[in-house]
Amino acid sequence: MQPQKKSLRDGIKDKKLIQRLKNERQQTKVRADDRRKMEFVLPEDEGFLEADENEKTHQFRQDEIVANVDITAARKKFTLDLHQYGPYSLDYTRNGRYFLLGGNKGHIFMADYIDFKPQCEINVNQSIRDGNAGVLKYMDTSTGQQISLHKTHLGPCMVMEQNPHNAVILVGHTNGVVSMWSPNCAHEPLVKMLTHGGPVRAVSCDLSGHYMATSGLDGGKVKIWDIRQLKMLHNIPGNYEVPISSLQLSQRGILAVGSGDVVNIYKDCLSQAPGKEPYMTYKLTPQQSQVSSQHNRQRGSSFKGSLATKSGADGGTTSYGSVHQLKFVPFDDALGIGHGAGFSSIIVPGSGLANYDSLEADPFETKKRRKEGEVKQLLDKLPASMITLNPQDVGTVGKGIIEHEKDMREINIQLKQLGKKEGSKDKQLEKGGKQRRLSAAQKRMKRMQKNIITKEKIDLEHKIALDRQVKERQKTIDRMRKEKEKPFDPLARFSMKTDD
């Protein structure tokens, strides 16, 4: 026999709620069908590097890729020489239109990634770094108020990453633990995973929120984890002599690993173990910087002054140090690299989504539309209490609550029956009858009645407390009124008080 299919009516008695859930389910199905029908009219196709029989994709250099792509894609390969303020951290906006650089010595720079126009540049004259006291704070960026504060009690926090699927924060600690937090956590994290035998150096989560990549100081290993099952899937092959400084997963699941002055890029490494050879390899060398500078001069880059791309005063011998942070560009086949001498952008074919939803993230949005989008986001903003480990639970009916209410109704019925029996016993005792002995089940129900806290009991206690306050206040008022009505006697204070 085939198992019976669970109906939407199971455990739900509200007809309006059943109809609303049915309509939402139908609308979800219609949207999915429309999305599948529109896939064949998408303007762009996604692809990767393809090598001949005697070639390997990791042997392709950036200058060779730039020479064989269109001018729009070639503009994505450039380098900013900022060696006096490094190493640099970086980040991109949600739609990939702007990028922000922050130097360790106080230099902050923001620019338009598509038009290559600087937006702002300041120097705060102090080090830019995150706190490592092991305290996680949530701030509301629209109001400036603090939402919550969590003390991890797991030592200093080395790295922090957000899961794009459910907005849960992943924090890596020095004891090898990766903890997951939300603003609703009381004193303990949602999940604690022992990922490495040493300090965690890098954490990254994919777009679906199902997989996580971690690295630590326990032999230079990169591990892939399944967040749904909370278990390790496999290791990324490779012996890294220098500790891994950064990990980053792209929108299409491509993994970038930064170690020393080398960036290795792996393809198809989440659901299955990749091959021994990476998909692409990039090294921070002066020669590549010089080639990039020539291409930037040909395209007429808008960066000027100290931010112009350079190959070094001695013709290409500038040392670029080690990789500090990696970030993939959203909706584009490019990777940003923050290092000791500034910032570099390289081309990684197949890393970004080729098509985007303009209602969610539009790289080509105008200034007017961006302002309208900000207002709409504030109106549609959900409270921080809705951030959960499983976002599918939001908007659903909790069957556990229904079962709990059902149990409470049965207990109340039994208590009422028990109360009626006790009332009849009292009447029998008044008439001179004998008391009937309680059974074990009745004694247990009587004890439960004393410990059960119901809404009616709480309301009754609150009402009794208010009545007591009103009576005490009335007594005070009556006493003061009597003292005012009593005639004044100047010798009353000399009179001796005698006990009645």
Side-chain angles (χ1 to χ4, degrees), residues 57-204:
T57 55
H58 67 87
Q59 296 175 349
F60 295 157
R61 297 179 303 182
Q62 283 293 309
D63 56 345
E64 296 176 345
I65 297 175
V66 169
N68 289 277
V69 297
D70 56 70
I71 188 173
T72 304
R75 287 162 60 92
K76 309 297 171 57
K77 174 67 178 75
F78 64 93
T79 299
L80 301 180
D81 186 4
L82 305 166
H83 59 275
Q84 64 270 31
Y85 301 112
Y88 274 82
S89 301
L90 71 146
D91 200 2
Y92 294 89
T93 55
R94 188 181 179 186
N95 58 1
R97 182 63 186 263
Y98 302 95
F99 70 95
L100 178 69
L101 302 179
N104 190 36
K105 297 180 181 178
H107 180 239
I108 300 176
F109 172 66
M110 179 178 177
D112 191 323
Y113 185 76
I114 296 178
D115 296 336
F116 296 99
K117 293 181 180 179
Q119 300 295 315
C120 66
E121 182 182 7
I122 58 175
N123 198 324
V124 296
N125 295 322
Q126 60 182 349
S127 298
I128 299 176
R129 59 179 180 269
D130 296 328
N132 59 353
V135 178
L136 182 63
K137 296 181 181 179
Y138 280 89
M139 305 291 294
D140 192 333
T141 56
S142 57
T143 61
Q145 297 179 351
Q146 180 175 306
I147 302 299
S148 61
L149 185 145
H150 303 304
K151 294 182 178 181
T152 61
H153 302 289
L154 295 172
C157 304
M158 303 294 292
V159 291
M160 184 172 64
E161 184 79 8
Q162 186 187 46
N163 189 330
H165 177 62
N166 53 17
V168 171
I169 298 297
L170 310 176
V171 181
H173 305 273
T174 55
N175 58 356
V177 173
V178 173
S179 57
M180 302 182 187
W181 297 84
S182 75
N184 312 316
C185 297
H187 302 289
E188 292 291 331
L190 299 174
V191 176
K192 287 194 295 184
M193 299 174 60
L194 182 60
T195 57
H196 294 273
V200 180
R201 289 295 302 271
V203 176
S204 184

Side-chain angles (χ1 to χ4, degrees), residues 7 25 62 79 104 107 198 244 263-264 276 287 296 312 323 347 450 466 471-472 479 497:
S7 174
R25 187 171 292 182
Q62 283 293 309
T79 299
N104 190 36
H107 180 239
I244 296 172
V263 178
N264 289 329
K276 295 182 179 180
Q287 289 79 11
N296 289 333
V323 176
I347 301 173
K450 296 179 181 179
L466 288 177
K471 290 180 181 179
E472 290 179 356
R479 186 175 63 254
K497 294 182 179 181

Side-chain angles (χ1 to χ4, degrees), residues 194-467:
L194 182 60
T195 57
H196 294 273
V200 180
R201 289 295 302 271
V203 176
S204 184
C205 192
D206 75 322
L207 187 62
S208 66
H210 297 162
Y211 300 99
M212 175 181 67
T214 63
S215 67
L217 294 179
D218 55 351
K221 295 181 180 179
V222 179
K223 299 181 180 180
I224 304 297
W225 301 80
D226 191 334
I227 300 179
R228 297 166 294 182
Q229 301 178 9
L230 301 177
K231 71 174 185 178
M232 191 187 75
L233 298 179
H234 50 263
N235 293 327
I236 300 297
N239 296 321
Y240 297 95
E241 298 180 356
V242 181
I244 296 172
S245 56
S246 181
L247 292 175
Q248 183 67 21
L249 282 165
S250 72
Q251 292 177 324
R252 296 191 63 195
I254 292 181
L255 176 64
V257 181
S259 174
D261 59 351
V262 178
V263 178
N264 289 329
I265 302 171
Y266 298 90
K267 184 181 72 170
D268 300 331
C269 61
L270 297 179
S271 59
Q272 59 184 1
K276 295 182 179 180
E277 297 177 346
Y279 170 58
M280 292 180 64
T281 300
Y282 178 78
K283 189 174 183 180
L284 299 174
T285 59
Q287 289 79 11
Q288 291 173 337
S289 169
Q290 187 174 6
V291 173
S292 173
S293 178
Q294 293 175 0
H295 283 282
N296 289 333
R297 286 193 294 268
Q298 291 175 3
R299 74 178 183 214
S301 175
S302 300
F303 299 128
K304 297 179 181 180
S306 63
L307 298 177
T309 53
K310 302 177 183 178
S311 60
D314 53 355
T317 59
T318 304
S319 174
Y320 277 77
S322 60
V323 176
H324 183 66
Q325 191 175 14
L326 302 172
K327 285 287 183 180
F328 279 100
V329 184
F331 308 104
D332 208 338
D333 293 343
L335 173 66
I337 306 172
H339 46 77
F343 170 77
S344 297
S345 177
I346 63 174
I347 301 173
V348 183
S351 62
L353 294 175
N355 302 285
Y356 56 88
D357 186 358
S358 59
L359 297 178
E360 182 178 358
D362 187 3
F364 303 99
E365 63 183 2
T366 59
K367 186 176 181 181
K368 180 180 179 182
R369 186 164 182 176
R370 178 171 56 83
K371 292 182 178 180
E372 293 175 352
E374 291 176 354
V375 174
K376 187 176 183 301
Q377 288 178 359
L378 290 175
L379 295 175
D380 297 340
K381 184 177 180 180
L382 296 174
S385 58
M386 301 189 72
I387 299 178
T388 60
L389 196 61
N390 184 13
Q392 303 299 329
D393 293 340
V394 179
T396 59
V397 178
K399 293 187 177 180
I401 298 175
I402 296 175
E403 295 175 356
H404 176 69
E405 292 178 352
K406 185 178 178 180
D407 295 339
M408 290 299 298
R409 284 196 297 268
E410 293 178 355
I411 292 173
N412 290 332
I413 292 172
Q414 295 177 1
L415 290 174
K416 287 181 180 179
Q417 294 176 354
L418 183 61
K420 291 180 180 179
K421 292 180 180 179
E422 290 180 351
S424 62
K425 292 173 190 175
D426 295 339
K427 291 181 180 179
Q428 291 177 2
L429 289 174
E430 291 176 359
K431 294 179 180 180
K434 294 182 179 180
Q435 185 179 3
R436 183 181 174 186
R437 294 185 63 182
L438 297 177
S439 64
Q442 291 175 341
K443 291 180 180 179
R444 185 169 64 252
M445 292 301 300
K446 191 173 182 180
R447 289 195 299 269
M448 289 175 62
Q449 186 179 9
K450 296 179 181 179
N451 297 329
I452 290 177
I453 299 175
T454 61
K455 184 177 182 300
E456 291 78 8
K457 187 175 181 180
I458 295 174
D459 294 340
L460 181 61
E461 292 177 352
H462 183 64
K463 185 178 179 181
I464 294 172
L466 288 177
D467 292 341

